Structures are given as structure tokens and as C-alpha cells.
Amino acid sequence: MEKKKLNIAIIGYGGMGSWHVRTLSHMNDANLCGIWDIDPDRREAAAADGIHVYGAQQELLDDLTVEAITIATPNDTHLPIALAAMRAGKHVICEKPVALNSNELTQMVNCSRERGVLFTVHQNRRWDEDYLIVKKLYDQQTMGKVFNIESRVHGSRGIPSDWRNQKEHGGGMVLDWGVHLLDQMNMMLGRRKPRSVFAQLTNVTNEGVDDGFRAIFQFDHQLTFLAEVGTSNFISMPRWYIQGENGTAVIHDWELNGEIVMVSDWEKRDAVPVVTAAGLTKTMAPRTDETVKKYPLPEVHSDIGDFYRNVRACIHEGAQLLVGPEEVMEVMYIMEAIFRSAEQNCVVYL
């Protein structure tokens, strides 16, 4: 029996809106009904791409054939559009960060429950293969008990000169990229919740919003997780750095270059001292080749189309959401804790 397709429309035809259109166009599970954008140039671009363009947002909301709406607009516009869509009886998928604060997100969640419609967030980087490799290493305890994980995203162009560098529109790197790294942290560690966070924000390129941040989370059982975003890094540090009792793994970049180095012989502890101008050290001398072994990173494969397949299955078959509102709320609370920690220059307990 052929599965019923999901009839969906997109509000916002910018970078992510056009990405959603391309993704949906390659799927057999969905039917794109059309788009709406307040910018006439973007509407013309959509029409040139052969996409149906609604005459107004309300026209889209009034279209009874549309079951679900994906919101891909600037962060500060998510709340009013989501509420209007849910009140029109539409299921809502929202780009992230879904809201500017937990109060706005609570309004969205409450409205979805009152109207009996699905509400989810496009946490697309749960499908990033670099993240899935680290999650596999953590889940399988490949290097023994993991005690430190470092997740970094570095660029060197500052913040784009659009709404992303304006506080009133929900700009800044905590909201723009922190929402990804923190969601990955939560998904990777599952029931293990952070006990505290100490965070610092940077304002190298502007004073309006944070153009980078560094947050250190303390978990139970001697686990720390560092999340860092920078936009003034002309030499990038590794995307991931993971330490376990028996070894270390590194992923350098989006192309998944990296390796695992594990101890092969704990008994051979003698080191060849490193001699510097000021003296020598055995403690920091590198391990000799016969005491360690290098391994390639494990292979993982993902399909971002699974996000929309899950939404369709939830609406038509009663499946469970992959990205639930409660998970999104946890990330929102953590982002707010980061802002508090940076403002007060102190550890914030969660």
C-alpha cells in the first residue's frame, strides 16, 4: 500500500527555505504545495524555480490542502508565524533557534497542545556524520571511559552582515550555532545531564551580539564537555577532540579527517625525555611508537530526509517525533544559562 504523502508549504525562501525546497523535491514522502516570502525578489526567484508562490501568508494558511508548514525566516519572526499557523490548524516545523527565549518557546508548545497539532524543530545537525562518529565512539566506549569531549566550530569571517548580527532579530553565535552544538551534546549523552556551566562570550567584530563563545559543562562521573564557536579563527582547532581512559580521538574538519590513537602497551612507561632550552621533561614526552596504535575513524552514514519522513509518519501513522519539544526546551534553558554565566562571570548550576 502506497504511503500517503505529506502536503507541506514553506514560509521563507532564503538560504534555509530554498534548502528545504530542494530536500523535499528529492523525496517521495512529501508534496510541496508552495512558498511565501515577504521579499518580492525571493518570490520571483521561487517562481523562476517553478515553485508555486502564494499571494500572501494568509492565503497559504487558508489553503486546506496544506497539512504542515516549515518556517524558515529570521529568528524573531518564528513566534508570530508559528502561532498563526497552528491556530489555522497546521502542523508546524520551525527552523532553529526556534525562539529567542524559553518564554516564547513555551507559548509555541502550549499552542500546539491546545490546537492538537504537531510542533517540531529542524535540528538538522543531528544527522551530521562527524557528530554521529563521536556519538558512536562514546556509546561503544571505544577508548574506554570518556572523560572529556570538545566540540568546536571555527570560522574567520565574523558574523554575516544581515539579521544574524542584530540582537533584536535573534542574532549571535550562541543562538545561531550554540543551538546545534548543545543539541548534539544532549543527544550524545542522553540521560546524563550537565550539572553546571561556565561561559564566556566574545565581541571581536561587533558589540551588538556575541560573535563567539566558550562554554564548559561539568557532568557527573568526571565528564566535561566543551562547546566553542569562533568567527575570528584564522587557524581552526579540531572540530572534535575526545579523550578516554585508553586513548584519544580527533576529527579535524567537516571532511571527517581524523584518527584514533590508543594505548597498546601500558607496561612500557619509560619515556625519551624532551629537551628544551630551559631543561627537560619526561612527563610531557610523547609515547613511543611501540606503546600506541592508530586506528581510522569508524564509518557512519546518515540521511537528512529521515527528518521529514518522521514528520510524515507522525502525522499520518502516529509515530513518535525524533525532535520533541521537551528536547528543544532543554537546549533553550542551557543557552539562557550560558548568557547568565557570561553576564555574571560565574558558574551557573543547572
Side-chain angles (χ1 to χ4, degrees):
M1 181 177 178
E2 187 176 354
K3 294 180 180 179
K4 183 180 178 181
K5 291 187 176 182
L6 175 67
N7 289 328
I8 189 168
I10 310 291
I11 296 181
Y13 193 64
M16 283 307 298
S18 57
W19 183 94
H20 282 283
V21 168
R22 289 193 300 272
T23 300
L24 291 166
S25 67
H26 290 95
M27 296 181 62
N28 296 323
D29 305 74
N31 174 51
L32 179 64
C33 299
I35 70 99
W36 165 251
D37 196 297
I38 62 172
D39 185 342
D41 291 338
R42 298 311 302 159
R43 297 199 297 271
E44 289 181 13
D49 292 336
I51 301 165
H52 172 67
V53 178
Y54 288 92
Q57 178 175 300
Q58 192 59 49
E59 180 184 334
L60 184 157
L61 297 180
D62 290 340
D63 185 348
L64 297 180
T65 64
V66 175
E67 299 174 280
I69 293 173
T70 292
I71 302 170
T73 59
N75 301 338
D76 61 317
T77 65
H78 291 172
L79 176 62
I81 296 174
L83 295 181
M86 288 187 279
R87 288 165 181 162
K90 311 300 185 186
H91 304 287
V92 168
I93 301 106
C94 190
E95 266 301 333
K96 74 280 127 195
V98 61
L100 302 188
N101 52 60
S102 55
N103 177 59
E104 288 190 355
L105 178 53
T106 298
Q107 294 181 58
M108 295 180 186
V109 173
N110 289 344
C111 187
S112 70
R113 290 171 178 168
E114 292 167 1
R115 299 288 170 161
V117 294
L118 175 145
F119 172 62
T120 189
V121 178
H122 186 233
Q123 290 290 168
N124 53 316
R125 294 199 176 275
R126 292 189 186 185
W127 282 264
D128 275 355
E129 292 182 353
D130 59 285
Y131 153 70
L132 292 173
I133 288 173
V134 177
K135 187 176 187 306
K136 185 173 185 178
L137 294 176
Y138 174 81
D139 288 343
Q140 297 183 351
Q141 295 288 286
T142 302
M143 301 169 295
K145 181 180 177 181
V146 173
F147 62 88
N148 183 53
I149 302 172
E150 300 177 12
S151 172
R152 292 181 174 90
V153 176
H154 285 167
S156 59
R157 293 181 174 84
I159 301 179
S161 56
D162 56 13
W163 57 268
R164 290 176 179 82
N165 66 9
Q166 300 170 21
K167 185 175 182 179
E168 63 271 22
H169 294 307
M173 287 296 102
V174 172
L175 288 173
D176 191 46
W177 264 101
V179 69
H180 291 302
L181 304 191
L182 301 175
D183 183 70
Q184 289 178 342
M185 177 182 77
N186 282 358
M187 291 300 99
M188 183 187 304
L189 302 180
R191 294 182 178 180
R192 296 179 72 171
K193 305 301 181 184
R195 290 182 171 181
S196 65
V197 61
F198 178 74
Q200 297 171 310
L201 308 183
T202 61
N203 298 92
V204 178
T205 59
N206 71 92
E207 293 297 327
V209 296
D210 58 286
D211 58 11
F213 73 91
R214 178 183 176 90
I216 301 175
F217 295 90
Q218 184 66 51
F219 286 75
D220 57 1
H221 306 302
Q222 298 179 333
L223 172 66
T224 56
F225 191 107
L226 180 145
E228 180 178 293
V229 173
T231 55
S232 298
N233 299 77
F234 294 89
I235 299 176
S236 296
M237 296 181 72
R239 171 70 186 88
W240 293 93
Y241 185 79
I242 313 99
Q243 294 172 275
E245 290 179 326
N246 299 321
T248 302
V250 64
I251 301 178
H252 294 288
D253 47 40
W254 305 111
E255 286 72 39
L256 309 182
N257 294 303
E259 63 180 347
I260 303 169
V261 178
M262 295 179 60
V263 174
S264 59
D265 190 340
W266 277 109
E267 298 304 316
K268 295 182 179 179
R269 298 180 180 273
D270 290 341
V272 178
V274 173
V275 181
T276 70
L280 58 82
T281 175
K282 277 191 173 183
T283 305
M284 298 306 167
R287 279 189 166 271
T288 53
D289 291 342
E290 68 269 17
T291 66
V292 294
K293 190 172 181 179
K294 296 182 179 181
Y295 300 87
L297 296 170
E299 289 189 12
V300 297
H301 301 285
S302 65
D303 182 355
I304 188 59
D306 288 342
F307 174 83
Y308 274 114
R309 295 185 188 99
N310 172 249
V311 171
R312 187 211 66 81
C314 289
I315 293 172
H316 291 161
E317 300 168 5
Q320 185 174 354
L321 272 175
L322 288 178
V323 184
E326 64 284 349
E327 299 166 355
V328 179
M329 186 65 81
E330 286 183 6
V331 173
M332 183 62 69
Y333 286 146
I334 291 174
M335 290 192 294
E336 291 176 340
I338 286 176
F339 287 124
R340 289 199 307 274
S341 175
E343 181 180 354
Q344 300 169 15
N345 191 30
C346 68
V347 173
V348 169
Y349 292 92
L350 302 167

